[in-house]
Amino acid sequence: MIKGVEGEITEISGNEVTLKAGQFYLNILCSTNTIKELSLSAKVHLLTYLSFSADRAPEIYGFKDRAEYNVFLMLLKANKIGPKMALKILSATSPEMLQKMIASKDISGLSRLPGLGKKTAERLVSELYDLVKDYAVEFPKELSDVSEDAVGALTALGFDMTSAKLAVNEVLKEQTVENTQELVRKALRKLNKTR
Amino acid sequence: MIKGVEGEITEISGNEVTLKAGQFYLNILCSTNTIKELSLSAKVHLLTYLSFSADRAPEIYGFKDRAEYNVFLMLLKANKIGPKMALKILSATSPEMLQKMIASKDISGLSRLPGLGKKTAERLVSELYDLVKDYAVEFPKELSDVSEDAVGALTALGFDMTSAKLAVNEVLKEQTVENTQELVRKALRKLNKTR
Amino acid sequence: MIKGVEGEITEISGNEVTLKAGQFYLNILCSTNTIKELSLSAKVHLLTYLSFSADRAPEIYGFKDRAEYNVFLMLLKANKIGPKMALKILSATSPEMLQKMIASKDISGLSRLPGLGKKTAERLVSELYDLVKDYAVEFPKELSDVSEDAVGALTALGFDMTSAKLAVNEVLKEQTVENTQELVRKALRKLNKTR
Amino acid sequence: MIKGVEGEITEISGNEVTLKAGQFYLNILCSTNTIKELSLSAKVHLLTYLSFSADRAPEIYGFKDRAEYNVFLMLLKANKIGPKMALKILSATSPEMLQKMIASKDISGLSRLPGLGKKTAERLVSELYDLVKDYAVEFPKELSDVSEDAVGALTALGFDMTSAKLAVNEVLKEQTVENTQELVRKALRKLNKTR
């Protein structure tokens, strides 16, 4: 019903923002990403989702960025994922990374996100894969074995599969490598930089 | 409760329109007929229907045209026809044609509308006939046999009964015909024009 | 929650009024008394009651006059009297007359109001009497027998007890009468004037 | 959802205030403390809590003062304490005193607040103690026996424990006392002043 609100930020506390719209001060729940982009007295237009249930006051979820908003709406399509859980997931990773993890069926990576257990990770992949498959991280055909081994080594070091794949892919795009060890070493340097 | 909203169209996507009313961006569901009449940045007044249910955020249905709005409200009076189904029916035909089909008890014509099965078509006729009977398509008494045969032939060709009746009626108003074949040929020309 | 709305009347149809408040056109249900006081394009402030239930869109009831609004709220305190029934009762008589009928325990008079059966009339009297007893129609002590007989005669003629009492009281305040017949004749003249 | 409203006070009746916000007159329930701070025609910003339940129109609770608002929200965290009860408790004592009573586990003092029985008092202490323990009234270590005796005497005189503790503490901060009797006498003088 209410897809967006325009107003002035009068308070930011944790993941809650107070937005003055006309005479009303609205309490809006936001992800960490959105909170980072907001500041007191700023005039903003937030994309909103109105969550309604029979015995509780409605809650408004707000997003600065369209991509995050769309991924939020996508998450709600999965069974047993309500707005609070969707916001929690979006506060743990970027919308793009999340889509890549689902598209890469990276159950272990997803399960490591705060609040997300293995079951929920599996449900996200099984119910949302078709909506995000274009985000799958592909390796150049001829180098897939070397890459797969490198990703294996990196995930053994504790990195989630999707980040490992992205780092390996980045190295392969920038330069040729002699062997898996060199690939792992260079990918590792990238991963440590983005930690 | 909210019978209309005035504001600026900021987004059109499928059958959903975003309307900026004061500080709020409202998400409004519209029929294909209404969508055709709307354009980005236009300032419009939409007649609205607020659909409420215990465990879902309210939804707003919007209409540019009073006749379509009234037929929408009429459809909701029929059992098991909710706002989504009513909008679907109104996106498949014009309000006027729909009333004619119900008034002519054109079950087969109604059943061909997307999303409308025979049972629903029968329910529309049985529950709403009294509200639309003035829309019934009548033939001049003296020519009713010739007309009925012509309509029979046209429906055999796949046209819904109401369209066939309207075309036959139009021909009879414009000119005299020798026989049923001539009536069918001239009505067919009209029907093919409006397809 | 919403105790009043200010705006412009854009439509009056039966007992429904459309009020433009900011960008929103509100559909407001009114009593016949309130409708009589409203006109198209008039800028008005209506006292409102917001009726909410789990599976239907909220409805707004609007009142031009504070006394009628208070009696409406009072009626809602009686068991099984919802806003629709309360509005119906208030469209059948004035707020003041209604309070007098309840205060005079005029079950037969109340039962004659459209939509009000004997059971509901009894419930109104039993549950609301304490709230309106000051409105009871009293006769001057010394004339109570003559008055009671006159009221009896008038109710036999089909007048409700409260109207009969009011007319008899009015006559007694204006002049002295010889006997019950004279009192009945003069009270009858008053009652026929106000029909 | 609605954390605050700005508007003009148009009516004050008992613990209900009518606030004009744009075209809407909102009915807002307030505590005695808040009512004291409001006056007709004043332009105010009230912190609000929107109470929703499936079969009743939503209700708005309004607070002039942030501390009172926060204690109200805290009370709602306790089991079986709804907004009406929370407002009643806050109309019986100041937010600060309430937190001190809970922090001092002053069951008898809490039970004396209108509408609060022993069971509810115990629940407040058991469920909210952790949120308010910093408000506990502490005695300087070396004087704790003398103080405890004085508090005992004062509560025997009918004062709630927290008020007694506060008075005793105040005396001890201002001056040294010879014995418990002197401490009781001076604390009593303070308590009678604030009654």
Side-chain angles (χ1 to χ4, degrees), chain A:
Chain A
M1 174 173 165
I2 299 180
K3 200 174 170 182
V5 186
E6 213 170 57
E8 184 193 333
I9 308 272
T10 60
E11 197 181 332
I12 300 177
S13 147
N15 78 324
E16 293 191 29
V17 157
T18 306
L19 186 79
K20 185 172 185 293
Q23 271 80 9
F24 294 93
Y25 292 77
L26 305 177
N27 189 51
I28 300 184
L29 304 166
C30 301
S31 70
T32 332
N33 301 328
T34 287
I35 293 281
K36 275 185 222 149
E37 296 190 51
L38 302 178
S39 53
L40 279 179
S41 320
K43 299 253 180 340
V44 293
H45 170 188
L46 293 180
L47 292 160
T48 54
Y49 172 80
L50 187 60
S51 152
F52 237 81
S53 80
D55 50 8
R56 184 171 49 58
E59 290 177 326
I60 308 181
Y61 291 78
F63 302 87
K64 190 74 189 58
D65 163 63
R66 170 76 63 165
E68 190 179 42
Y69 181 62
N70 290 340
V71 171
F72 174 81
L73 295 179
M74 179 191 80
L75 286 171
L76 296 184
K77 287 175 184 160
N79 223 308
K80 292 185 198 159
I81 302 274
K84 274 206 196 336
M85 168 65 97
L87 202 66
K88 211 169 170 185
I89 297 172
L90 280 170
S91 293
T93 180
S94 77
E96 211 197 326
M97 189 55 172
L98 180 64
Q99 292 173 100
K100 280 184 174 142
M101 291 174 106
I102 297 173
S104 317
K105 303 190 177 178
D106 181 0
I107 305 281
S108 77
L110 287 165
S111 322
R112 262 184 252 149
L113 295 177
L116 246 169
K118 193 161 177 265
K119 263 200 197 153
T120 311
E122 281 161 354
R123 216 172 331 111
L124 284 183
V125 169
S126 71
E127 294 182 26
L128 302 180
Y129 174 77
D130 285 341
L131 301 175
V132 292
K133 56 190 176 215
D134 306 345
Y135 283 85
V137 183
E138 301 305 336
F139 292 129
K141 279 285 155 295
E142 66 289 6
L143 284 171
S144 61
D145 296 351
V146 171
S147 322
E148 292 298 350
D149 294 346
V151 166
L154 291 163
T155 47
L157 291 171
F159 290 98
D160 64 78
M161 185 180 66
T162 310
S163 308
K165 275 188 165 182
L166 286 168
V168 161
N169 240 349
E170 230 174 283
V171 170
L172 293 176
K173 276 184 200 145
E174 286 159 7
Q175 55 199 295
T176 50
V177 292
E178 291 307 316
N179 50 45
T180 306
Q181 284 67 18
E182 189 193 346
L183 180 52
V184 169
R185 211 177 50 253
K186 290 185 175 170
L188 199 59
R189 211 175 297 145
K190 284 193 179 289
L191 283 166
N192 288 332
K193 247 191 271 163
T194 57
R195 260 212 171 156

Side-chain angles (χ1 to χ4, degrees), chain C residues 26-109:
Chain C
L26 305 176
N27 189 53
I28 300 185
L29 305 167
C30 301
S31 70
T32 331
N33 301 326
T34 287
I35 293 282
K36 273 185 226 150
E37 296 190 53
L38 301 179
S39 54
L40 278 179
S41 320
K43 297 256 185 325
V44 292
H45 169 190
L46 294 181
L47 291 160
T48 54
Y49 172 80
L50 185 61
S51 153
F52 236 81
S53 78
D55 51 6
R56 179 170 55 58
E59 289 178 327
I60 307 181
Y61 292 78
F63 301 87
K64 189 76 186 62
D65 163 62
R66 170 75 62 163
E68 190 179 42
Y69 180 62
N70 290 340
V71 171
F72 174 82
L73 295 179
M74 180 191 78
L75 286 171
L76 296 184
K77 287 176 184 161
N79 224 309
K80 291 186 200 159
I81 302 274
K84 276 206 194 339
M85 169 64 98
L87 204 65
K88 211 170 173 184
I89 298 171
L90 280 169
S91 294
T93 181
S94 76
E96 209 195 329
M97 189 56 170
L98 181 63
Q99 291 173 100
K100 281 183 173 145
M101 292 173 105
I102 296 173
S104 316
K105 302 191 178 181
D106 182 359
I107 305 282
S108 77

Side-chain angles (χ1 to χ4, degrees), chain B residues 44-184:
Chain B
V44 292
H45 169 189
L46 294 181
L47 292 160
T48 54
Y49 172 81
L50 186 60
S51 151
F52 237 82
S53 81
D55 50 9
R56 182 172 50 57
E59 290 177 326
I60 307 181
Y61 292 78
F63 302 86
K64 188 77 189 56
D65 163 64
R66 170 75 62 164
E68 189 179 43
Y69 181 62
N70 290 340
V71 171
F72 174 81
L73 295 179
M74 180 191 78
L75 286 172
L76 295 185
K77 288 175 182 161
N79 223 309
K80 292 185 199 158
I81 302 274
K84 274 206 195 337
M85 169 64 98
L87 204 65
K88 210 170 174 186
I89 298 172
L90 280 170
S91 293
T93 181
S94 77
E96 210 196 327
M97 189 55 171
L98 181 64
Q99 291 172 99
K100 281 183 173 143
M101 291 173 106
I102 296 173
S104 318
K105 303 191 179 182
D106 182 0
I107 305 281
S108 76
L110 287 164
S111 322
R112 264 185 251 147
L113 294 178
L116 246 168
K118 194 162 178 262
K119 263 199 195 155
T120 311
E122 282 163 353
R123 219 177 324 114
L124 285 183
V125 170
S126 72
E127 294 182 28
L128 302 179
Y129 174 77
D130 286 341
L131 301 175
V132 293
K133 57 187 176 216
D134 307 345
Y135 283 85
V137 184
E138 301 304 337
F139 293 128
K141 278 282 154 297
E142 66 288 8
L143 285 170
S144 60
D145 295 349
V146 172
S147 322
E148 293 298 349
D149 294 346
V151 167
L154 291 165
T155 47
L157 291 171
F159 291 97
D160 66 77
M161 185 180 66
T162 311
S163 307
K165 274 188 165 184
L166 287 167
V168 161
N169 239 351
E170 232 174 281
V171 170
L172 293 175
K173 275 182 200 145
E174 287 158 8
Q175 57 201 293
T176 50
V177 292
E178 293 306 318
N179 49 43
T180 307
Q181 284 69 16
E182 189 193 345
L183 181 52
V184 169

Side-chain angles (χ1 to χ4, degrees), chain B residues 4-75:
Chain B
V5 186
E6 212 170 57
E8 184 192 333
I9 308 273
T10 61
E11 197 180 331
I12 300 177
S13 148
N15 79 325
E16 293 191 29
V17 158
T18 305
L19 186 79
K20 184 172 186 295
Q23 273 79 8
F24 295 93
Y25 292 77
L26 304 177
N27 189 51
I28 299 184
L29 304 166
C30 301
S31 69
T32 331
N33 301 327
T34 287
I35 293 281
K36 274 184 223 149
E37 296 190 52
L38 301 179
S39 54
L40 278 179
S41 321
K43 298 254 184 329
V44 292
H45 169 189
L46 294 181
L47 292 160
T48 54
Y49 172 81
L50 186 60
S51 151
F52 237 82
S53 81
D55 50 9
R56 182 172 50 57
E59 290 177 326
I60 307 181
Y61 292 78
F63 302 86
K64 188 77 189 56
D65 163 64
R66 170 75 62 164
E68 189 179 43
Y69 181 62
N70 290 340
V71 171
F72 174 81
L73 295 179
M74 180 191 78
L75 286 172

Side-chain angles (χ1 to χ4, degrees), chain C residues 119-133:
Chain C
K119 264 199 193 155
T120 311
E122 283 162 352
R123 218 175 326 110
L124 285 183
V125 170
S126 71
E127 294 183 27
L128 301 179
Y129 174 77
D130 286 341
L131 300 175
V132 292
K133 58 189 174 212

Side-chain angles (χ1 to χ4, degrees), chain C residues 1 3-6 54 66, chain D residues 11 20 23 25-27 54 58:
Chain C
M1 172 172 168
K3 198 174 171 181
V5 185
E6 211 171 59
R66 170 75 62 163
Chain D
E11 197 180 333
K20 184 172 185 292
Q23 271 80 9
Y25 292 77
L26 304 177
N27 189 53

